[in-house]
Protein backbone atom coordinates (compact mmCIF):
# COMPACT_ATOMS: atom_id res chain seq x y z
CA UNK A 1 0.00 0.00 0.00
CA UNK A 2 2.85 2.38 0.83
CA UNK A 3 6.60 2.16 0.78
CA UNK A 4 7.54 5.37 2.56
CA UNK A 5 8.71 5.04 6.14
CA UNK A 6 8.93 8.14 8.31
CA UNK A 7 9.45 9.01 11.96
CA UNK A 8 6.13 9.39 13.79
CA UNK A 9 6.20 11.10 17.19
CA UNK A 10 3.19 10.43 19.40
CA UNK A 11 2.50 12.94 22.18
CA UNK A 12 0.52 11.49 25.06
CA UNK A 13 0.85 8.05 26.60
CA UNK A 14 -2.82 7.41 27.33
CA UNK A 15 -5.16 4.99 25.61
CA UNK A 16 -5.37 6.83 22.28
CA UNK A 17 -1.71 7.83 21.95
CA UNK A 18 -0.64 4.28 22.70
CA UNK A 19 -3.13 2.77 20.24
CA UNK A 20 -2.05 5.15 17.47
CA UNK A 21 1.61 4.42 18.19
CA UNK A 22 0.81 0.76 17.68
CA UNK A 23 -0.92 1.49 14.33
CA UNK A 24 2.07 3.53 13.13
CA UNK A 25 4.56 0.89 14.27
CA UNK A 26 2.57 -1.85 12.53
CA UNK A 27 2.79 0.32 9.41
CA UNK A 28 6.56 0.05 9.57
CA UNK A 29 7.23 3.62 10.69
CA UNK A 30 9.86 4.55 13.23
CA UNK A 31 7.69 5.41 16.25
CA UNK A 32 8.57 7.36 19.38
CA UNK A 33 6.04 8.13 22.12
CA UNK A 34 6.21 10.87 24.73
CA UNK A 35 4.49 10.25 28.06
CA UNK A 36 5.08 12.15 31.30
CA UNK A 37 4.46 9.02 33.35
CA UNK A 38 7.69 7.02 33.74
CA UNK A 39 5.82 3.87 34.72
CA UNK A 40 3.89 3.80 31.43
CA UNK A 41 7.11 4.51 29.52
CA UNK A 42 8.87 1.58 31.17
CA UNK A 43 5.89 -0.70 30.62
CA UNK A 44 5.87 0.11 26.89
CA UNK A 45 9.63 -0.24 26.46
CA UNK A 46 10.15 -3.32 28.61
CA UNK A 47 6.89 -5.26 28.28
CA UNK A 48 5.29 -3.90 25.07
CA UNK A 49 2.27 -3.05 27.24
CA UNK A 50 0.53 -0.02 28.68
CA UNK A 51 -1.40 -1.77 31.43
CA UNK A 52 -2.50 1.51 32.97
CA UNK A 53 -4.44 2.63 29.90
CA UNK A 54 -4.78 -0.44 27.66
CA UNK A 55 -4.88 -3.46 29.96
CA UNK A 56 -4.22 -6.92 28.51
CA UNK A 57 -3.22 -5.65 25.09
CA UNK A 58 0.10 -6.46 23.43
CA UNK A 59 1.52 -3.46 21.61
CA UNK A 60 3.45 -3.55 18.35
CA UNK A 61 7.22 -4.02 18.32
CA UNK A 62 9.45 -1.04 17.95
CA UNK A 63 7.71 1.74 19.91
CA UNK A 64 10.35 3.79 21.72
CA UNK A 65 8.67 5.52 24.66
CA UNK A 66 10.35 8.30 26.63
CA UNK A 67 9.65 10.99 29.18
CA UNK A 68 12.03 13.23 27.22
CA UNK A 69 10.13 15.21 24.55
CA UNK A 70 13.33 16.31 22.78
CA UNK A 71 14.31 12.68 22.06
CA UNK A 72 10.80 11.78 20.92
CA UNK A 73 10.40 14.76 18.60
CA UNK A 74 13.89 14.74 17.05
CA UNK A 75 13.58 14.31 13.24
CA UNK A 76 9.83 13.57 13.43
CA UNK A 77 7.99 14.02 10.12
CA UNK A 78 4.55 13.46 11.66
CA UNK A 79 3.51 14.45 15.18
CA UNK A 80 0.32 12.89 16.55
CA UNK A 81 -0.99 15.17 19.31
CA UNK A 82 -2.94 12.84 21.61
CA UNK A 83 -3.17 14.83 24.83
CA UNK A 84 -6.69 15.45 26.18
CA UNK A 85 -8.33 18.49 24.55
CA UNK A 86 -8.30 20.68 27.65
CA UNK A 87 -4.61 19.90 28.35
CA UNK A 88 -3.50 20.45 24.73
CA UNK A 89 -2.45 24.12 24.97
CA UNK A 90 -0.27 23.73 28.07
CA UNK A 91 1.11 20.33 27.13
CA UNK A 92 2.18 21.50 23.64
CA UNK A 93 3.44 24.84 24.97
CA UNK A 94 5.91 23.02 27.19
CA UNK A 95 7.50 21.11 24.33
CA UNK A 96 6.95 23.37 21.31
CA UNK A 97 10.64 24.22 20.93
CA UNK A 98 11.44 20.56 20.21
CA UNK A 99 8.96 20.18 17.32
CA UNK A 100 10.90 20.13 14.01
CA UNK A 101 9.84 23.08 11.80
CA UNK A 102 8.85 20.80 8.90
CA UNK A 103 6.80 18.35 11.00
CA UNK A 104 3.16 17.84 10.07
CA UNK A 105 0.95 18.00 13.18
CA UNK A 106 -2.07 15.72 13.47
CA UNK A 107 -4.57 16.57 16.19
CA UNK A 108 -6.03 13.39 17.68
CA UNK A 109 -8.09 14.86 20.54
CA UNK A 110 -11.83 15.62 20.45
CA UNK A 111 -13.18 18.72 22.13
CA UNK A 112 -13.57 22.48 22.21
CA UNK A 113 -11.31 24.51 24.52
CA UNK A 114 -13.43 25.32 27.57
CA UNK A 115 -11.75 28.62 28.42
CA UNK A 116 -11.73 30.17 24.91
CA UNK A 117 -14.29 28.37 22.74
CA UNK A 118 -11.55 27.61 20.21
CA UNK A 119 -11.51 24.40 18.19
CA UNK A 120 -8.52 22.36 19.31
CA UNK A 121 -6.88 22.66 15.86
CA UNK A 122 -6.84 26.43 16.50
CA UNK A 123 -5.28 25.81 19.90
CA UNK A 124 -2.61 23.61 18.27
CA UNK A 125 -1.95 26.27 15.62
CA UNK A 126 -1.48 28.86 18.35
CA UNK A 127 0.79 26.60 20.41
CA UNK A 128 2.86 25.53 17.38
CA UNK A 129 2.83 28.52 15.01
CA UNK A 130 3.91 27.88 11.44
CA UNK A 131 2.98 24.20 11.38
CA UNK A 132 0.38 22.57 9.17
CA UNK A 133 -2.37 21.19 11.46
CA UNK A 134 -4.59 18.27 10.47
CA UNK A 135 -7.10 16.28 12.53
CA UNK A 136 -7.69 12.54 12.81
CA UNK A 137 -11.17 11.61 14.01
CA UNK A 138 -13.89 9.01 13.59
CA UNK A 139 -15.43 5.98 15.26
CA UNK A 140 -12.44 4.30 16.85
CA UNK A 141 -12.13 2.96 20.38
CA UNK A 142 -8.46 2.81 21.40
CA UNK A 143 -8.81 -0.78 22.58
CA UNK A 144 -10.25 -1.87 19.21
CA UNK A 145 -7.51 -0.06 17.31
CA UNK A 146 -4.71 -1.38 19.53
CA UNK A 147 -6.04 -4.93 19.11
CA UNK A 148 -5.90 -4.51 15.34
CA UNK A 149 -9.68 -4.74 14.86
CA UNK A 150 -10.95 -3.16 11.62
CA UNK A 151 -11.41 0.61 11.96
CA UNK A 152 -12.03 3.53 9.60
CA UNK A 153 -11.33 7.17 10.43
CA UNK A 154 -11.09 10.51 8.64
CA UNK A 155 -8.04 12.74 8.37
CA UNK A 156 -8.82 16.38 7.70
CA UNK A 157 -6.56 19.17 6.61
CA UNK A 158 -7.37 22.49 4.97
CA UNK A 159 -5.03 21.32 2.19
CA UNK A 160 -6.48 18.12 0.73
CA UNK A 161 -3.03 17.03 -0.48
CA UNK A 162 -1.78 17.03 3.11
CA UNK A 163 -4.74 14.94 4.28
CA UNK A 164 -4.22 12.52 1.36
CA UNK A 165 -0.54 12.09 2.20
CA UNK A 166 -1.23 11.54 5.91
CA UNK A 167 -4.02 9.08 5.07
CA UNK A 168 -1.62 7.11 2.89
CA UNK A 169 1.12 7.10 5.53
CA UNK A 170 -1.11 6.18 8.47
CA UNK A 171 -3.48 3.65 6.85
CA UNK A 172 -2.81 -0.02 7.39
CA UNK A 173 -4.53 -3.32 6.65
CA UNK A 174 -6.97 -2.85 9.55
CA UNK A 175 -6.87 0.96 9.87
CA UNK A 176 -8.40 2.78 6.91
CA UNK A 177 -8.02 6.56 6.73
CA UNK A 178 -10.27 8.64 4.48
CA UNK A 179 -9.26 12.21 3.67
CA UNK A 180 -11.09 15.53 3.49
CA UNK A 181 -10.34 19.25 3.48
CA UNK A 182 -13.25 19.97 5.86
CA UNK A 183 -11.23 20.41 9.06
CA UNK A 184 -13.99 22.25 10.94
CA UNK A 185 -16.58 19.59 10.02
CA UNK A 186 -14.39 16.75 11.24
CA UNK A 187 -13.50 18.47 14.48
CA UNK A 188 -16.97 19.63 15.43
CA UNK A 189 -18.41 16.13 14.94
CA UNK A 190 -15.80 14.61 17.24
CA UNK A 191 -16.28 17.27 19.89
CA UNK A 192 -20.09 17.24 20.00
CA UNK A 193 -20.66 13.50 19.80
CA UNK A 194 -19.05 13.31 23.25
CA UNK A 195 -21.67 15.69 24.67
CA UNK A 196 -24.48 13.70 23.06
CA UNK A 197 -22.99 10.46 24.41
CA UNK A 198 -23.33 11.89 27.92
CA UNK A 199 -27.04 12.43 27.19
CA UNK A 200 -27.42 8.94 25.71
CA UNK A 201 -25.66 7.36 28.68
CA UNK A 202 -27.76 9.35 31.14
CA UNK A 203 -30.97 8.16 29.44
CA UNK A 204 -29.76 4.57 29.67
CA UNK A 205 -28.62 4.98 33.26
CA UNK A 206 -32.00 6.41 34.24
CA UNK A 207 -33.74 3.47 32.50
CA UNK A 208 -35.67 5.57 29.98
CA UNK A 209 -35.78 2.79 27.38
CA UNK A 210 -34.58 2.18 23.84
CA UNK A 211 -37.18 4.44 22.21
CA UNK A 212 -36.08 7.44 24.27
CA UNK A 213 -32.46 6.68 23.45
CA UNK A 214 -33.16 6.65 19.69
CA UNK A 215 -35.12 9.91 19.92
CA UNK A 216 -32.38 11.58 21.95
CA UNK A 217 -29.57 10.57 19.62
CA UNK A 218 -31.55 11.56 16.50
CA UNK A 219 -32.56 14.95 17.88
CA UNK A 220 -29.03 15.40 19.25
CA UNK A 221 -27.73 14.79 15.75
CA UNK A 222 -30.06 17.56 14.51
CA UNK A 223 -28.32 19.89 16.98
CA UNK A 224 -24.89 18.72 15.84
CA UNK A 225 -25.89 19.42 12.20
CA UNK A 226 -27.13 22.92 13.07
CA UNK A 227 -23.96 23.84 14.93
CA UNK A 228 -21.72 22.36 12.25
CA UNK A 229 -23.56 24.31 9.55
CA UNK A 230 -23.24 27.54 11.54
CA UNK A 231 -19.48 27.00 11.85
CA UNK A 232 -19.09 26.36 8.11
CA UNK A 233 -18.85 22.54 8.04
CA UNK A 234 -20.06 20.63 5.00
CA UNK A 235 -23.18 18.43 5.38
CA UNK A 236 -21.46 15.35 3.92
CA UNK A 237 -18.76 15.55 6.59
CA UNK A 238 -21.38 15.59 9.33
CA UNK A 239 -22.99 12.52 7.73
CA UNK A 240 -19.61 10.76 7.57
CA UNK A 241 -17.33 8.80 9.89
CA UNK A 242 -16.33 11.74 12.07
CA UNK A 243 -19.94 12.87 12.58
CA UNK A 244 -22.73 10.34 12.34
CA UNK A 245 -20.28 7.43 12.48
CA UNK A 246 -18.68 8.46 15.74
CA UNK A 247 -22.06 9.49 17.20
CA UNK A 248 -23.41 5.98 16.52
CA UNK A 249 -20.40 4.37 18.17
CA UNK A 250 -20.18 6.61 21.19
CA UNK A 251 -23.91 6.71 21.94
CA UNK A 252 -24.32 2.95 21.86
CA UNK A 253 -21.55 1.38 23.87
CA UNK A 254 -20.44 1.46 27.51
CA UNK A 255 -16.95 1.05 26.01
CA UNK A 256 -17.26 4.83 25.52
CA UNK A 257 -16.11 6.76 28.57
CA UNK A 258 -18.55 9.56 27.78
CA UNK A 259 -21.47 7.16 27.53
CA UNK A 260 -20.36 5.42 30.75
CA UNK A 261 -20.03 8.76 32.52
CA UNK A 262 -23.56 9.60 31.38
CA UNK A 263 -24.77 6.22 32.63
CA UNK A 264 -23.33 6.94 36.07
CA UNK A 265 -24.91 10.39 36.02
CA UNK A 266 -28.30 8.96 35.04
CA UNK A 267 -28.10 6.26 37.70
CA UNK A 268 -27.10 8.73 40.42
CA UNK A 269 -23.76 6.98 40.95
CA UNK A 270 -20.58 8.78 42.07
CA UNK A 271 -18.67 10.51 39.26
CA UNK A 272 -15.36 11.12 41.03
CA UNK A 273 -12.48 9.09 39.66
CA UNK A 274 -14.19 8.11 36.41
CA UNK A 275 -11.91 8.05 33.34
CA UNK A 276 -11.56 11.03 31.00
CA UNK A 277 -14.91 12.10 29.52
CA UNK A 278 -14.19 14.99 27.14
CA UNK A 279 -17.88 15.87 26.81
CA UNK A 280 -17.96 17.17 30.40
CA UNK A 281 -15.76 20.15 29.45
CA UNK A 282 -17.13 20.49 25.92
CA UNK A 283 -20.83 20.67 26.95
CA UNK A 284 -20.77 24.08 28.70
CA UNK A 285 -18.68 25.77 26.03
CA UNK A 286 -20.83 24.25 23.25
CA UNK A 287 -23.87 25.57 25.11
CA UNK A 288 -22.27 29.02 25.30
CA UNK A 289 -21.50 29.00 21.58
CA UNK A 290 -25.12 28.04 20.81
CA UNK A 291 -26.49 30.73 23.11
CA UNK A 292 -24.25 33.38 21.52
CA UNK A 293 -25.13 32.39 17.97
CA UNK A 294 -28.80 31.76 18.61
CA UNK A 295 -28.58 28.07 17.67
CA UNK A 296 -31.42 25.90 18.98
CA UNK A 297 -29.71 23.08 20.94
CA UNK A 298 -31.98 21.99 23.82
CA UNK A 299 -30.26 18.64 24.41
CA UNK A 300 -26.80 20.20 24.69
CA UNK A 301 -28.28 22.83 27.03
CA UNK A 302 -29.90 20.09 29.11
CA UNK A 303 -26.65 18.12 29.38
CA UNK A 304 -24.88 21.28 30.53
CA UNK A 305 -27.54 21.97 33.17
CA UNK A 306 -27.47 18.33 34.29
CA UNK A 307 -23.68 18.39 34.72
CA UNK A 308 -23.91 21.64 36.68
CA UNK A 309 -26.62 20.09 38.86
CA UNK A 310 -29.04 22.82 37.84
CA UNK A 311 -31.51 20.18 36.67
CA UNK A 312 -32.29 16.56 37.51
CA UNK A 313 -32.56 14.10 34.67
CA UNK A 314 -36.32 13.80 35.21
CA UNK A 315 -36.69 17.59 35.01
CA UNK A 316 -34.57 17.61 31.85
CA UNK A 317 -36.75 14.97 30.19
CA UNK A 318 -39.95 16.80 31.15
CA UNK A 319 -38.57 20.07 29.80
CA UNK A 320 -37.45 18.46 26.50
CA UNK A 321 -40.77 16.69 25.92
CA UNK A 322 -42.88 19.72 26.73
CA UNK A 323 -41.23 22.23 24.41
CA UNK A 324 -43.65 23.78 21.91
CA UNK A 325 -44.42 21.37 19.06
CA UNK A 326 -42.59 22.08 15.80
CA UNK A 327 -41.77 20.62 12.40
CA UNK A 328 -38.97 18.07 12.36
CA UNK A 329 -35.84 19.83 11.07
N1 LIG B 1 -9.46 6.48 24.03
C1 LIG B 1 -10.11 6.47 22.86
O1 LIG B 1 -10.75 5.46 22.48
C2 LIG B 1 -10.03 7.65 21.97
C3 LIG B 1 -9.66 8.90 22.44
N2 LIG B 1 -9.65 9.98 21.60
C4 LIG B 1 -9.29 11.30 22.09
O2 LIG B 1 -7.92 11.32 22.42
C5 LIG B 1 -7.68 12.28 23.46
C6 LIG B 1 -6.85 11.62 24.54
O3 LIG B 1 -7.64 10.57 25.07
P1 LIG B 1 -7.05 9.27 25.74
O4 LIG B 1 -5.67 8.97 25.30
O5 LIG B 1 -8.06 8.23 25.55
O6 LIG B 1 -7.02 9.74 27.26
P2 LIG B 1 -6.36 8.99 28.50
O7 LIG B 1 -7.03 9.50 29.71
O8 LIG B 1 -6.33 7.54 28.24
O9 LIG B 1 -4.84 9.51 28.47
C7 LIG B 1 -4.50 10.87 28.55
C8 LIG B 1 -2.99 10.97 28.46
O10 LIG B 1 -2.63 12.34 28.36
C9 LIG B 1 -1.65 12.59 29.34
N3 LIG B 1 -1.70 13.97 29.77
C10 LIG B 1 -2.75 14.64 30.29
N4 LIG B 1 -2.41 15.92 30.51
C11 LIG B 1 -1.10 16.03 30.15
C12 LIG B 1 -0.18 17.09 30.16
N5 LIG B 1 -0.52 18.30 30.58
N6 LIG B 1 1.08 16.85 29.73
C13 LIG B 1 1.44 15.63 29.31
N7 LIG B 1 0.61 14.57 29.27
C14 LIG B 1 -0.66 14.78 29.67
C15 LIG B 1 -1.95 11.63 30.48
O11 LIG B 1 -0.81 11.51 31.28
P3 LIG B 1 -0.87 10.93 32.78
O12 LIG B 1 -1.07 9.45 32.61
O13 LIG B 1 0.45 11.27 33.34
O14 LIG B 1 -2.02 11.61 33.45
C16 LIG B 1 -2.27 10.38 29.68
O15 LIG B 1 -1.10 9.77 29.23
C17 LIG B 1 -9.08 12.74 23.94
O16 LIG B 1 -9.39 13.98 23.37
C18 LIG B 1 -10.02 11.68 23.38
O17 LIG B 1 -11.31 12.20 23.07
C19 LIG B 1 -9.99 9.87 20.29
C20 LIG B 1 -10.36 8.66 19.77
C21 LIG B 1 -10.41 7.45 20.56
O1 LIG C 1 -13.82 8.95 20.61
C1 LIG C 1 -13.98 7.79 20.89
C2 LIG C 1 -14.37 6.77 19.91
O2 LIG C 1 -14.40 7.25 18.62
C3 LIG C 1 -13.79 7.36 22.30
O3 LIG C 1 -14.91 7.73 23.00
P1 LIG C 1 -14.83 8.00 24.58
O4 LIG C 1 -13.83 9.11 24.77
O5 LIG C 1 -16.20 8.33 24.98
O6 LIG C 1 -14.33 6.72 25.20
Amino acid sequence: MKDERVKVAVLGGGAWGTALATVAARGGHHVALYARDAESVNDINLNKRNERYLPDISLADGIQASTNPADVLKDAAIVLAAFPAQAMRDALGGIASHVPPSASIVLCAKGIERSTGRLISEVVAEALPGHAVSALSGPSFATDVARGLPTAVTIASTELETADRLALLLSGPAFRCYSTDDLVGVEIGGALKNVLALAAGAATGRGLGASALAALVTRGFAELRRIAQALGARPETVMGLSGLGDLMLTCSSPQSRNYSYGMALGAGKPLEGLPLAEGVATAPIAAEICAKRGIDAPIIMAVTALLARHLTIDEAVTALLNRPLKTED
Side-chain angles (χ1 to χ4, degrees):
M1 200 166 174
K2 59 174 177 275
D3 49 22
E4 192 182 352
R5 307 274 181 261
V6 299
K7 176 166 177 185
V8 177
V10 180
L11 304 179
W16 195 219
T18 308
L20 289 172
T22 282
V23 167
R26 282 193 199 120
H29 297 296
H30 173 43
V31 181
L33 180 146
Y34 164 71
R36 63 181 177 183
D37 172 39
E39 218 171 286
S40 302
V41 164
N42 286 336
D43 202 17
I44 293 170
N45 289 338
L46 302 177
N47 310 317
K48 285 196 284 170
R49 298 246 174 195
N50 186 348
E51 283 300 323
R52 187 170 159 216
Y53 285 108
L54 290 175
D56 301 326
I57 295 181
S58 288
L59 306 178
D61 288 330
I63 302 170
Q64 292 292 314
S66 173
T67 54
N68 182 339
D71 289 349
V72 168
L73 286 160
K74 189 171 186 300
D75 300 327
I78 299 177
V79 175
L80 303 182
F83 299 122
Q86 306 306 320
M88 192 64 76
R89 187 182 292 276
D90 284 351
L92 285 182
I95 61 180
S97 61
H98 304 299
V99 178
S102 59
S104 194
I105 316 298
V106 184
L107 164 68
C108 303
K110 297 173 180 174
I112 300 173
E113 193 174 46
R114 173 74 187 95
S115 54
T116 62
R118 299 255 210 291
L119 294 176
I120 306 302
S121 65
E122 298 174 308
V123 171
V124 174
E126 285 172 14
L128 304 175
H131 286 276
V133 182
S134 307
L136 183 156
S137 195
S140 49
F141 285 134
T143 47
D144 294 348
V145 170
R147 287 201 165 96
L149 299 177
T151 314
V153 297
T154 303
I155 297 187
S157 175
T158 50
E159 301 294 328
L160 188 58
E161 274 176 20
T162 305
D164 284 342
R165 177 173 149 71
L166 287 166
L168 183 65
L169 285 170
L170 296 174
S171 287
F175 191 75
R176 180 172 173 81
C177 302
Y178 289 81
S179 54
T180 178
D181 60 1
D182 187 1
L183 181 60
V184 170
V186 162
E187 267 199 275
I188 203 69
L192 295 180
K193 64 87 189 173
N194 284 334
V195 179
L196 300 173
L198 292 172
T204 303
R206 185 71 185 96
L208 300 183
S211 305
L213 182 63
L216 198 57
V217 175
T218 309
R219 294 311 300 159
F221 186 54
E223 296 182 19
L224 194 161
R225 279 191 279 128
R226 270 180 224 132
I227 299 166
Q229 188 184 15
L231 297 182
R234 289 204 299 267
E236 64 267 29
T237 311
V238 179
M239 295 303 291
L241 290 165
S242 58
L244 182 60
D246 211 355
L247 184 74
M248 281 171 61
L249 179 77
T250 317
C251 289
S252 65
S253 167
Q255 216 175 319
S256 155
R257 295 160 302 182
N258 286 283
Y259 183 85
S260 297
Y261 190 102
M263 278 175 68
L265 194 64
K269 292 189 178 154
L271 304 173
E272 298 74 37
L274 291 178
L276 177 73
E278 292 279 31
V280 173
T282 302
I285 187 64
E288 265 179 46
I289 291 169
C290 291
K292 254 189 220 147
R293 290 175 171 259
I295 302 169
D296 189 29
I299 295 172
I300 291 172
M301 297 298 181
V303 170
T304 304
L306 200 59
L307 289 168
R309 309 282 181 192
H310 293 157
L311 213 61
T312 66
I313 183 156
D314 292 346
E315 286 166 345
V317 171
T318 304
L320 285 170
L321 288 177
N322 289 286
R323 299 168 69 236
L325 297 177
K326 56 185 284 242
T327 51
E328 186 181 19
D329 56 6

